[in-house]
Amino acid sequence: MGKQDHLLLTPCDREPIHIPGSIQPHGLVLVADTRSRRVVAGAGALEDRLAARWLGEPLEALLGQEVFKQLDAPGQPVMGQVLEKRVSGSSETFDAILHSTGDRLIIELEPVNPEPWEAMRFLSQLDGFARTFERAGDLMALCRRAAVAFRKLTGFDRVMIYRFIDDEAGQVIAEDSNPSLASFLHHHFPGSDIPRQARALYVRNRARSICTVDYTPMPLRPAGFEELDLSDVGLRSVSPVHLQYLRNMGVAASASFSIVRDGVLWGLVACHHDSPRRLPRDVMIAGTALGGALSRQIQAREQARAYDERLRLRAAVDEVAPAFSSPQNETEIFRDLGHTLCRLLDADGFAFVNDETVQLSGIGPEPQTIMDLTNWGLSVSPAEPLVTRRLSERYEPARGWPERASGLLLLPLPDQGKALLWFRVDEAEQVRWAGIPHKPTEGDARALTPRASFATWVETVRGRSRAWTLEDVDAASRLGRVFTEARINLRMRRLNKDLQKSLAERDGLLEQKDMLMREIDHRVQNSLQIIGAYLVLKAREAGPGPVADHLTEAKARLSAVAHVHGRLYRSDHPETVDLGQYLGALTADLRQALGDEWRNCISADFAPLLLPSSSAMSVGLIMTELVINATKYAYAGQPGPIDIKLQRHRGNLRLSVADEGAGLSATPRSSSGFGSRMISATVGGLNGKIEYEDATRGLKAILTAPTLV
């Protein structure tokens, strides 16, 4: 864009067309305050056409009906809601359409159609048009039928289907007009003809009409409402620039209906007439509905075309995918596939770049030039595809070789410095413009004025290739993924082969180790069982008394060691033990060792918690000692409740043994006994601490230690 164009277009894009401060004179507008429900402003010949007194009057009294009860969602924004009853004016009847902006309710009053459509005729004609759309063979046929349908609906002299293309410019792709008029079919219009804020309003307000380009705007009154947002108001006054634009085209009246796809303005149905012509509200509603039907048909056809193209490209990628698993090096693979990959994306050339190597197939720049281009592309877009049909506008050196690469699709690969590149050569294109799009206006260059001529002007455009589609980019991305996965899988197969050899050697060593470990485990378990049986036998021979008690305690401690040893040598992960399972098994042994009278007195709840094997053994010994102490001192040797719990608490293990017996006073305080010395040493080895809570009833011993010891 040149400096002169920038001066012209920037003010155009900034023109506040949504707050013109006035309306077209064929209708009326009332503005009401939603809190007081009184009219605070208006526009148009209200005194002559509606009521002599209107300012400050209650809105509902002025319109002769309850307005606020009719709102679809009271308290919510209102856009285009039609009141149930028509409004009677001084000598005419109006349709009333409601909109809201902030705390203002805007009421449009448009004269009713003198020949209103009957519902049956309305629906029948719309259904007929929709069926015509459905029978269209392709997108262009659909648009041609749409131009005919809208011309029948509106009665305008010319109807054009206008599609937005590159650089926000547009092209007339279908037209139906009076044969006496000059045709704009296939003509392009620059993006400045429909500035950005106008396109935004076309998405928001799908129908727009101008009864005559020579009207005198009717301002909002009283003063102070010039900045009121009229974005949704169909009677909103049009930019003087646009009115002059239409006059320069020889248009006396116009209407437009938006074609919106997925919330984006795809195009417009532009209607022109060579004399003033007003479209009644019912025709505007019909046109809006027909525009919606056209939008859906366009979307369906474009989606179907895109789906078919994706299927074709997916099949083509799948066809070449097996070659990526070849044991050949990557450069050789792309040397063999280069021309196939050119055809896949309808490209003129393809290149694979790997560090300092360039493998080119078809048409493209010189290898060193491709390397430089790749380095630039990876710096601009290191992870996502870089796509352009105008490479010279983004990469200055490309101006020197448009016949080799004007279009570029560069796909970065995960490995550093690797990329796939597709090239399309320059294709000279003759663009037919409606007037000279870049011609400066005469006079003050800063003035906001439209161009004066729309005579056909042909421009030969160079430095552009055929456009890349989203399907092309998706296919290239999928090809890159398939290639990367195939090479990773190939490397994995090679590594697996080497690994299998190493595993076979390791398995032999592990088998020898397992035999040795089983033998050690067998001998240790036998020894522990013999010692345990000997202790039980001696306890029975000694009979009730201190000796038997000491032997029983020793047997319990031995069980704690035996359980850890068994889990250690039978586990797949001998370095860790599930402390909850281990303590549960140990508790079962304690119940058996203490006899039937204690079996139902000991309750346990152990949370799962992984702990190093050596630490688990220490915790088991501590629990065993605490349970033995409780059985000896809490109830004076008689059975009583003992509750054992294991929990995870703030990154630590928390083991508690609680009874309901005599409390701390009944427990010996000497620290010289074997049990006390063992508990103290074992707790120290765990870097933990043990606390005793002397409750009103019973004693609770709590061991706290880190889980990573």
Side-chain angles (χ1 to χ4, degrees):
M1 180 182 294
K3 180 178 179 181
Q4 188 76 19
D5 295 313
H6 179 77
L7 289 172
L8 289 173
L9 297 184
T10 300
C12 193
D13 282 327
R14 294 176 178 174
E15 186 183 8
I17 59 176
H18 63 298
I19 49 172
S22 59
I23 67 168
Q24 299 180 52
H26 65 276
L28 307 174
V29 162
L30 296 173
V31 182
D33 182 272
T34 55
R35 291 167 295 187
S36 66
R37 300 189 176 185
R38 292 181 176 273
V39 176
V40 295
L46 291 162
E47 292 82 359
D48 297 332
R49 300 175 65 184
L50 182 64
R53 296 181 58 185
W54 55 271
L55 187 61
E57 295 296 314
L59 177 65
E60 294 182 334
L62 200 59
L63 299 183
Q65 57 189 300
E66 293 181 329
V67 174
F68 293 92
K69 286 186 178 180
Q70 296 184 42
L71 298 181
D72 293 332
Q76 298 299 315
V78 183
M79 184 184 296
Q81 181 177 340
V82 180
L83 287 182
E84 297 172 358
K85 293 169 57 178
R86 287 174 170 167
V87 176
S88 297
S90 301
S91 59
E92 54 191 323
T93 305
F94 299 94
D95 287 318
I97 305 94
L98 307 183
H99 313 278
S100 65
T101 175
D103 59 355
R104 307 296 190 194
L105 186 66
I106 302 175
I107 303 91
E108 290 187 81
L109 298 176
E110 287 196 45
V112 300
N113 189 351
E115 297 180 1
W117 286 23
E118 296 179 357
M120 185 65 70
R121 177 193 167 202
F122 178 84
L123 295 174
S124 176
Q125 188 159 15
L126 285 182
D127 182 63
F129 289 146
R131 289 176 183 273
T132 299
F133 293 170
E134 292 172 1
R135 291 194 293 269
D138 56 27
L139 179 62
M140 298 309 298
L142 170 64
C143 291
R144 287 193 294 270
R145 294 188 179 199
V148 173
F150 273 95
R151 189 168 175 225
K152 286 181 179 178
L153 177 69
T154 62
F156 274 65
D157 292 326
R158 176 194 290 120
V159 171
M160 300 173 289
I161 307 300
Y162 180 92
R163 180 180 186 178
F164 291 101
I165 51 175
D166 295 342
D167 297 333
E168 300 178 343
Q171 181 185 14
V172 177
I173 60 175
E175 182 184 60
D176 185 53
S177 65
N178 187 321
S180 63
L181 299 178
S183 175
F184 286 114
L185 184 61
H186 304 310
H187 282 58
H188 290 66
F189 291 77
S192 57
D193 283 10
I194 305 178
R196 292 183 180 87
Q197 76 275 31
R199 289 192 293 274
L201 286 178
Y202 277 124
V203 174
R204 181 170 176 172
N205 198 343
R206 305 292 173 88
R208 192 86 169 90
S209 71
I210 302 173
C211 300
T212 174
V213 298
D214 294 321
Y215 72 84
T216 300
M218 306 296 285
L220 285 164
R221 48 199 171 97
F225 287 87
E226 296 82 5
E227 300 294 319
L228 183 67
D229 188 350
L230 299 180
S231 295
D232 301 318
V233 177
L235 290 171
R236 183 184 71 246
S237 189
V238 182
S239 165
V241 178
H242 184 61
L243 293 176
Q244 187 59 48
Y245 176 93
L246 294 174
R247 293 189 194 99
N248 293 347
M249 289 185 75
V251 174
S254 75
S256 58
F257 301 93
S258 304
I259 305 173
V260 178
R261 179 187 167 184
D262 293 331
V264 177
L265 189 62
W266 184 94
L268 294 171
V269 179
C271 309
H272 291 169
H273 207 62
D274 63 358
S275 60
R277 182 174 180 80
R278 184 178 74 85
L279 286 184
R281 172 58 56 173
D282 50 7
V283 178
M284 295 292 288
I285 292 174
T288 303
L290 191 60
L294 176 60
S295 299
R296 290 187 290 274
Q297 286 293 326
I298 288 174
Q299 180 171 1
R301 278 164 170 73
E302 289 190 336
Q303 287 179 341
R305 183 205 60 78
Y307 179 74
D308 291 342
E309 182 66 5
R310 283 194 177 97
L311 286 182
R312 182 191 72 79
L313 290 170
R314 177 176 285 271
V317 171
D318 290 342
E319 187 175 346
V320 302
F324 295 150
S325 300
S326 168
Q328 293 177 292
N329 66 53
E330 296 171 345
T331 302
E332 292 172 342
I333 290 174
F334 285 112
R335 179 198 62 199
D336 297 339
L337 289 178
H339 292 289
T340 300
L341 297 180
C342 278
R343 292 192 297 272
L344 187 145
L345 294 188
D346 190 25
D348 299 299
F350 168 81
F352 168 65
V353 177
N354 180 7
D355 295 328
E356 298 300 323
T357 303
V358 175
Q359 177 60 51
L360 173 65
S361 301
I363 302 173
E366 295 298 323
Q368 185 56 50
T369 303
I370 293 177
M371 185 65 69
D372 295 339
L373 173 63
T374 302
N375 291 335
W376 167 81
L378 293 178
S379 68
V380 172
S381 181
E384 298 296 326
L386 175 63
V387 184
T388 177
R389 63 176 299 205
R390 303 174 184 178
L391 180 58
S392 61
E393 294 183 9
R394 301 189 62 180
Y395 184 62
E396 182 68 25
R399 295 182 182 276
W401 27 268
E403 73 287 351
R404 292 187 172 274
S406 284
L408 172 68
L409 197 167
L410 185 150
L411 180 72
L413 295 176
D415 290 345
Q416 185 75 21
K418 292 184 181 181
L420 306 180
L421 296 85
W422 285 265
F423 305 111
R424 285 179 178 172
V425 301
D426 171 52
E427 287 192 349
E429 180 183 3
Q430 286 195 335
V431 178
R432 300 171 64 190
W433 293 96
I436 302 177
H438 315 300
K439 182 179 179 181
T441 58
E442 298 178 357
D444 186 357
R446 295 169 298 178
L448 193 57
T449 57
R451 62 183 185 278
S453 173
F454 290 86
T456 300
W457 184 75
V458 179
E459 178 184 21
T460 301
V461 179
R462 303 301 300 263
R464 298 183 186 178
S465 70
R466 300 182 305 283
W468 305 97
T469 65
L470 288 175
E471 292 71 40
D472 291 334
V473 179
D474 288 345
S477 299
R478 183 168 182 269
L479 182 78
R481 291 194 300 271
V482 171
F483 168 74
T484 301
E485 291 169 3
R487 302 312 288 181
I488 290 174
N489 290 337
L490 180 63
R491 289 196 290 267
M492 290 297 295
R493 286 195 297 271
R494 289 172 177 169
L495 290 173
N496 282 336
K497 186 176 180 180
D498 295 338
L499 182 61
Q500 289 300 323
K501 183 179 178 180
S502 300
L503 288 176
E505 297 174 354
R506 189 206 67 170
D507 288 344
L509 296 174
L510 286 176
E511 187 174 353
Q512 295 178 21
K513 187 204 77 169
D514 289 343
M515 291 177 62
L516 179 62
M517 293 295 290
R518 284 194 296 270
E519 180 64 22
I520 293 173
D521 178 46
H522 177 70
R523 294 188 180 189
V524 170
Q525 289 292 338
N526 281 344
S527 299
L528 291 174
Q529 287 176 1
I530 291 171
I531 296 172
Y534 179 77
L535 292 174
V536 171
L537 180 62
K538 288 300 180 180
R540 289 176 180 172
E541 290 178 356
V547 174
D549 291 342
H550 288 308
L551 290 171
T552 300
E553 293 174 15
K555 174 61 172 62
R557 292 168 184 143
L558 187 67
S559 295
V561 175
H563 271 291
V564 170
H565 182 273
R567 292 187 179 276
L568 178 65
Y569 289 101
R570 293 185 181 90
S571 172
D572 292 333
H573 303 284
E575 68 277 3
T576 59
V577 169
D578 185 330
L579 184 61
Q581 292 184 2
Y582 163 58
L583 295 182
L586 186 57
T587 301
D589 281 0
L590 281 171
R591 290 191 182 104
Q592 185 175 2
L594 292 171
D596 292 340
E597 58 185 358
W598 283 96
R599 188 181 304 276
N600 296 324
C601 294
I602 300 176
S603 61
D605 181 13
F606 301 119
L609 194 154
L610 289 178
L611 206 64
S613 302
S614 59
S615 300
M617 184 183 296
S618 298
V619 175
L621 290 172
I622 293 171
M623 186 195 78
T624 301
E625 199 65 30
L626 292 174
V627 171
I628 290 173
N629 285 343
T631 61
K632 290 170 62 177
Y633 304 115
Y635 305 103
Q638 298 301 311
I642 298 176
D643 182 51
I644 312 171
K645 288 184 179 179
L646 174 67
Q647 300 171 312
R648 182 187 295 274
H649 181 69
R650 296 179 180 176
N652 295 325
L653 68 86
R654 191 171 187 268
L655 174 70
S656 63
V657 178
D659 61 62
E660 299 177 6
L664 190 61
S665 60
T667 304
R669 299 180 180 231
S670 172
S671 59
S672 60
F674 174 76
S676 298
R677 292 198 307 274
M678 186 194 71
I679 288 177
S680 178
T682 307
V683 171
L686 291 171
N687 293 325
K689 63 178 180 178
I690 191 164
E691 300 172 308
Y692 296 92
E693 294 182 358
D694 191 11
T696 304
R697 184 179 180 186
L699 178 67
K700 185 175 185 179
I702 302 171
L703 167 67
T704 304
T707 55
L708 296 177
V709 180

